[in-house]
Amino acid sequence: MTGKGAAAIMCEQEPDIDRKAMAEIVHAILSNGESALFSEFGRQRKLPSGTHLFHRGHAGNTMYVIVSGCIELDFGEDLVVKSLGPNEFFGELGLLIGDHQRTAGARAVQDSIVLELDHDDFQRLVDRDPGLLAYFLRRTIMRVVSNEQVLIRQLRRRNHDLETALDNLYVTTHQLTHTRELVRTDELTGLHNRRGLALYLQDCRAQENSAPQGLLLIDCDQFKQVNDVHGHQAGDRVLQSVANILRSVATEPDVACRLGGDEFCLLLRSADQDSLQHAAEFILSAVHGLIDRAHGVPHVCPVSIGVCLIDPQTDWSEWYARADNALYQAKRLGGNRLHWSRSATATP
């Protein structure tokens, strides 16, 4: 083997040797000499299964060495729980710095025996074998640093997972909101569809004194002729124009809806006879304005409107029946007009 090859093998082996040495330093198991020394000064304590030695966050100045059984260290915050067995130790910071807040809770998970050592015991250990204790302290400090690094990595990983979960939750919430809007919205016009109208009425019933007071039922005149002569794209543009006019009339608490085909409705939350008359006349005027400006392919067609004041104590089916009857009368009279329901208090 060449010198270069031997050197390469040495370089590959050295990291492994360093890792093994580091593992030995930070390992929480006492050597035979340390175990004998600690047993000389520690006091044995029996712990029935389930006994808590201390809780996370409580102050303490005592170190423990496990003689038999198993002790569980719980660092909380969804971090990894450690299980320690015979000759392993914990709580050593109590000997080094005195009273301090425990970073983990300690509980016997089976019948166990531990050695307890306090600060006075630590002084006696120093007097008895300072060299052995110095090596133990070096291992202890390295172990504390290593444990803290592990905890930091775990916390960072948990925070990353939490950020990822929050991002996923945001995306899911956005998708649900978008889906909910699609379910209640007419795709062509952007107005409410029948389901959106039903949900709107459901919300109104849930709120006291918030039922609509007026209804306009709107139907396009000669809409089939637009489709037959100019095609369905022209028909779609007509429906979108009517929708835009209704959208401009509706205030925030009102709702404009495409009921299907070329039939629309406008429910007004706060309305009286004058405001309903004004809204219907505005729709007719806006339609006439678009018709007058059209050249060739129509952007809109005339509409008929059934108008009624509604009783909040009744339901949609009765409101619709009254407005539909008024709409039928408007159609029978030639369309391109508004007509009031006979149940209105007065006919303009």
Side-chain angles (χ1 to χ4, degrees):
M1 181 180 295
T2 64
K4 184 177 179 180
I9 292 176
M10 288 290 291
C11 289
E12 291 176 357
Q13 289 178 342
E14 283 176 358
D16 291 334
I17 294 172
D18 290 342
R19 282 194 291 268
K20 290 177 181 177
M22 181 62 70
E24 182 180 350
I25 289 174
V26 301
H27 204 5
I29 295 182
L30 296 177
S31 66
N32 292 334
E34 290 168 340
S35 180
L37 179 64
F38 280 57
S39 296
E40 184 177 346
F41 294 99
R43 294 165 300 283
Q44 284 198 359
R45 177 179 172 184
K46 293 182 178 181
L47 302 173
S49 178
T51 302
H52 283 85
L53 277 167
F54 51 78
H55 295 277
R56 185 165 60 95
H58 288 186
N61 60 4
T62 306
M63 171 185 164
Y64 299 91
V65 178
I66 303 173
V67 177
S68 63
C70 181
I71 303 296
E72 186 177 80
L73 300 182
D74 183 1
F75 293 88
E77 304 294 339
D78 300 325
L79 299 176
V80 175
V81 175
K82 281 188 175 182
S83 295
L84 305 181
N87 266 357
E88 293 189 274
F89 59 91
F90 58 95
E92 60 273 18
L93 282 180
L95 296 185
L96 300 178
I97 62 177
D99 278 339
H100 71 290
Q101 283 193 339
R102 305 287 192 180
T103 57
R107 181 177 68 92
V109 294
Q110 56 183 250
D111 292 344
S112 305
I113 299 175
V114 298
L115 292 175
E116 291 183 329
L117 298 105
D118 58 24
H119 194 66
D120 291 337
D121 298 323
F122 176 74
Q123 295 301 324
R124 287 193 286 271
L125 290 170
V126 172
D127 295 338
R128 174 58 61 88
D129 195 334
L132 186 61
L133 194 62
Y135 178 69
F136 168 77
L137 290 177
R138 180 188 173 207
R139 290 170 56 208
T140 295
I141 292 171
M142 294 295 293
R143 176 170 170 263
V144 169
V145 171
S146 176
N147 285 343
E148 290 301 319
Q149 290 174 340
V150 170
L151 289 176
I152 290 171
R153 285 197 297 270
Q154 290 176 341
L155 286 171
R156 285 176 177 170
R157 185 163 55 249
R158 189 197 63 173
N159 288 340
H160 173 74
D161 292 343
L162 180 59
E163 289 176 358
T164 301
L166 288 175
D167 288 342
N168 291 338
L169 180 61
Y170 172 79
V171 171
T172 301
T173 302
H174 177 74
Q175 290 173 340
L176 287 174
T177 301
H178 182 62
T179 301
R180 186 166 57 247
E181 289 303 314
L182 289 178
V183 167
R184 67 171 65 194
T185 303
D186 176 61
E187 185 176 1
L188 176 64
T189 64
L191 300 183
H192 279 58
N193 55 21
R194 282 186 175 272
R195 177 171 176 78
L197 175 64
L199 293 172
Y200 170 82
L201 294 173
Q202 181 177 324
D203 290 341
C204 289
R205 285 194 294 271
Q207 302 175 31
E208 189 175 355
N209 299 323
S210 65
Q213 296 178 336
L215 172 63
L216 305 181
L217 198 59
I218 304 102
D219 191 82
C220 296
D221 300 330
Q222 304 164 4
F223 179 71
K224 184 177 183 300
Q225 182 178 344
V226 173
N227 274 334
D228 292 344
V229 175
H230 301 284
H232 288 284
Q233 285 188 341
D236 288 348
R237 185 163 54 247
V238 166
L239 297 177
Q240 290 168 342
S241 296
V242 174
N244 289 335
I245 293 171
L246 296 184
R247 193 178 289 110
S248 68
V249 176
T251 60
E252 185 176 349
D254 306 329
V255 64
C257 172
R258 181 188 177 198
L259 296 175
D262 60 334
E263 186 178 35
F264 298 82
C265 78
L266 179 63
L267 272 169
L268 302 179
R269 186 74 68 90
S270 298
D272 56 22
Q273 195 161 324
D274 289 339
S275 62
L276 284 175
Q277 180 77 15
H278 176 76
E281 289 176 348
F282 177 87
I283 294 170
L284 291 173
S285 175
V287 167
H288 292 160
L290 288 178
I291 292 174
D292 291 341
R293 291 195 297 272
H295 299 285
V297 179
H299 289 182
V300 76
C301 60
V303 297
S304 297
I305 305 175
V307 187
C308 72
L309 288 167
I310 55 182
D311 181 1
Q313 303 304 317
T314 57
D315 59 20
W316 164 256
S317 60
E318 182 172 334
W319 305 345
Y320 181 84
R322 289 175 49 202
D324 187 55
N325 181 265
L327 177 63
Y328 172 78
Q329 295 300 324
K331 290 278 192 182
R332 190 175 65 82
L333 293 172
N336 190 26
R337 69 184 65 226
L338 69 89
H339 194 86
W340 278 82
S341 165
R342 291 180 181 177
S343 300
T345 55
T347 301

